[in-house]
Amino acid sequence: MAFFEMAKTAIKTLVQRPATIRYPAESAKKTEISRGHVTIDESRCISCGSCQRTCPSQAIVVEKEAKTWQIDRLRCVVCRACVDVCPVKCLFMDTQYTAPMVTRSTETVMITYVKPVKPPEKEEGKA
Ligand code: SF4
Ligand code: SF4
């Protein structure tokens, strides 16, 4: 009896489409709960470092002086904590398909945000 069950399953799998996809030749499936990957709008980042301090896997490095934001995608566990903590909401999860990484490398983004110049305070008594 078990033999017939096994044979039935084997024949069924021969005629059905495979349950898996040929990733990375085919794009990974995207669903409503797909997390995607962390992306930054570098024109809004204020180099506060909150994302770096919050990241549980030390995947992000923010260099205030050099004006760089770096992410090591092989360290990122896609928890989304950095996105939630960013005070200016310049981090978001992008669900667009990207090719898989084949070598370890850190992605560096130059922060282009320019701090607005504070207008000089008026001296008292002057018009
Ligand atoms: S998603 Fe999580 S692990 Fe990935 S960079 Fe953000 S805080 Fe770090
Ligand atoms: S990405 Fe957001 S949390 Fe990270 S340094 Fe820039 S402003 Fe701060």
Side-chain angles (χ1 to χ4, degrees), residues 38 51 54-60 69 71-72 75-83 91 93:
V38 179
C51 51
T54 306
C55 180
S57 55
Q58 287 91 49
I60 297 177
W69 181 92
I71 185 164
D72 182 342
R75 275 181 174 270
C76 175
V77 294
V78 202
C79 68
R80 215 197 125 95
C82 55
V83 175
L91 293 177
M93 302 302 285

Side-chain angles (χ1 to χ4, degrees), residues 19-36:
T20 52
I21 57 166
R22 293 177 59 242
Y23 179 84
E26 279 178 50
S27 302
K29 279 183 190 164
K30 194 176 85 179
T31 68
E32 275 182 25
I33 56 167
S34 292
R35 291 228 156 196

Side-chain angles (χ1 to χ4, degrees), residues 56-125:
S57 55
Q58 287 91 49
I60 297 177
V61 176
V62 182
E63 299 275 2
K64 202 170 184 151
E65 295 304 313
K67 294 196 93 180
T68 57
W69 181 92
Q70 296 181 321
I71 185 164
D72 182 342
R73 298 210 180 270
L74 289 184
R75 275 181 174 270
C76 175
V77 294
V78 202
C79 68
R80 215 197 125 95
C82 55
V83 175
D84 293 337
V85 80
C86 179
V88 293
K89 303 288 173 224
C90 70
L91 293 177
F92 54 96
M93 302 302 285
D94 186 356
T95 54
Q96 285 301 306
Y97 174 75
T98 52
M101 290 178 68
V102 287
T103 52
R104 179 166 221 136
S105 65
T106 307
E107 208 177 299
T108 304
V109 174
M110 294 303 296
I111 298 164
T112 55
Y113 170 82
V114 180
K115 196 174 176 183
V117 181
K118 206 174 163 187
E121 285 177 29
K122 286 183 184 166
E123 285 178 39
E124 275 182 41

